[in-house]
Every structure is written in structure tokens, then in C-alpha cells.
């Protein structure tokens, strides 16, 4: 994919962040107050051409600091279980963004006590998983699940979220 308004002929163009948010059509969780020097990248996942996930990645230099995913059920139904989604999301985060070369560390995540995330100032209860140097949280917001993964250094920042429509 090219992130260009005019990719070569026959090459699909990746949607901009605004286009993704518009296509999702529902509020998407973002960090409430990310450091100004972090870059923000938006990504998505589809199921049968239905946009089900928007992922907001916060990057400093070449390192991902925090990843926030908003996910919703596909139109044909299905129930989102944030605590089940969290394990796969966290393992993917660790495999892609942590510096641990040990594959066993990817499955050595430990459930933690429930925590409280702040979403637009309101408190919501979240399940937690931890791995050395990293934390992940999952909470429900209506029919949506909000998943967050962060290095331990940025766990406090990752607890404060806001919903963005565009």
C-alpha cells in the first residue's frame, strides 16, 4: 500500500487517518494527552470488507510506545469478549514491538488485577495482562472493545483515553 494521494496505477491507496475514522463511523479511542513529539499512525482490520478494528499507534523514533485498538463486532453478529481479545492483541504487540527475542516470553503473560481506565474523564473497568516491561488493558465501551498495550514506562499515559470521531 502507498500512503500517497496518487499511487501508481493499479496500486491500492491506504486511507488517511481522517478517511479511516470517517469509514469506521463510530468514535475511536486515542490517548488523551500523548507527548507532542510522538508520531501517530492509524491502521485497520476488516472482516468480509467490514471495518472492524481501528488501531492507533504512538511512535517515538522507531519504537512503538503505546498501541490503542478500538474493535467492534462484524455485522453478522458475534460478541466481543475484551478479555479474550486482549491475549491475542497483547501477544501480537509483544511480538511486533517489544525487544524480547524469547518466543516463550510471548506466552508468559500474567493476568493482573482489574484496573480503571479513564475514557473522556469517565472511569471504566479494564482487565489487565502484564509481561516483563509491558502492560495491556481491555475494556468494554458499549458494543466496542478498547484494547491498549504499552511499555511499563508509559502505562500511566495509557490509562487516559479520549474518543475521537475525526
Amino acid at each position: 500500500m502507498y500512503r500517497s494521494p496518487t499511487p501508481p496505477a493499479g496500486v491500492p491507496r491506504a486511507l488517511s487517518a481522517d478517511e479511516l475514522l470517517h469509514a469506521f463511523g463510530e468514535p475511536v479511542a486515542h490517548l488523551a494527552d500523548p507527548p507532542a513529539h510522538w508520531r501517530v499512525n492509524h491502521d485497520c482490520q476488516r472482516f468480509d470488507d467490514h471495518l472492524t478494528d481501528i488501531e492507533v499507534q504512538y511512535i517515538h523514533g522507531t519504537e512503538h510506545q503505546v498501541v490503542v485498538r478500538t474493535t467492534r463486532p462484524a455485522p453478522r453478529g458475534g460478541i466481543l469478549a475484551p478479555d479474550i481479545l486482549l491475549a491475542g492483541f497483547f501477544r501480537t504487540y509483544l511480538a511486533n514491538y517489544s525487544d524480547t527475542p524469547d518466543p516463550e516470553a510471548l506466552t508468559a503473560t500474567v493476568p493482573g488485577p482489574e484496573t480503571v481506565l479513564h475514557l473522556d474523564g469517565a472511569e471504566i473497568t479494564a482487565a489487565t495482562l502484564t509481561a516483563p516491561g509491558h502492560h495491556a488493558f481491555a475494556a468494554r465501551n458499549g458494543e466496542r472493545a478498547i484494547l491498549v498495550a504499552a511499555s511499563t514506562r508509559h502505562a500511566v499515559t495509557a490509562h487516559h483515553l479520549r474518543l475521537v470521531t475525526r
Side-chain angles (χ1 to χ4, degrees):
M1 293 269 183
Y2 282 81
R3 287 203 186 270
S4 166
T6 55
V11 176
R13 183 180 67 82
L15 298 177
S16 70
D18 285 342
E19 290 169 324
L20 276 176
L21 293 174
H22 178 74
F24 198 66
E26 297 180 24
V28 173
H30 287 66
L31 289 180
D33 192 25
H37 61 278
W38 284 4
R39 285 183 303 118
V40 179
N41 185 42
H42 291 76
D43 201 358
C44 67
Q45 290 186 4
R46 296 177 184 274
F47 178 77
D48 285 346
D49 208 34
H50 177 74
L51 196 55
T52 57
D53 299 65
I54 299 286
E55 189 170 276
V56 185
Q57 304 163 352
Y58 295 88
I59 305 161
H60 180 243
T62 59
E63 295 182 19
H64 284 71
Q65 306 298 319
V66 179
V67 175
V68 180
R69 179 181 289 175
T70 303
T71 187
R72 64 182 177 188
R76 280 192 254 148
I79 297 171
L80 292 177
D83 51 338
I84 294 171
L85 292 171
L86 181 60
F89 168 74
F90 195 32
R91 279 194 297 274
T92 301
Y93 165 85
L94 292 170
N96 290 331
Y97 308 126
S98 76
D99 55 5
T100 181
D102 180 10
E104 289 188 20
L106 302 180
T107 58
T109 58
V110 178
E114 285 188 341
T115 190
V116 173
L117 299 180
H118 301 273
L119 182 63
D120 286 336
E123 293 184 350
I124 57 174
T125 303
T128 64
L129 282 177
T130 61
H134 300 277
H135 296 272
F137 317 105
R140 246 186 162 3
N141 180 251
E143 288 195 15
R144 293 180 298 272
I146 297 172
L147 309 168
V148 183
S151 63
T152 300
R153 170 174 81 228
H154 299 297
V156 171
T157 300
H159 274 77
H160 299 275
L161 307 167
R162 65 187 170 93
L163 292 174
V164 173
T165 52
R166 283 200 202 188

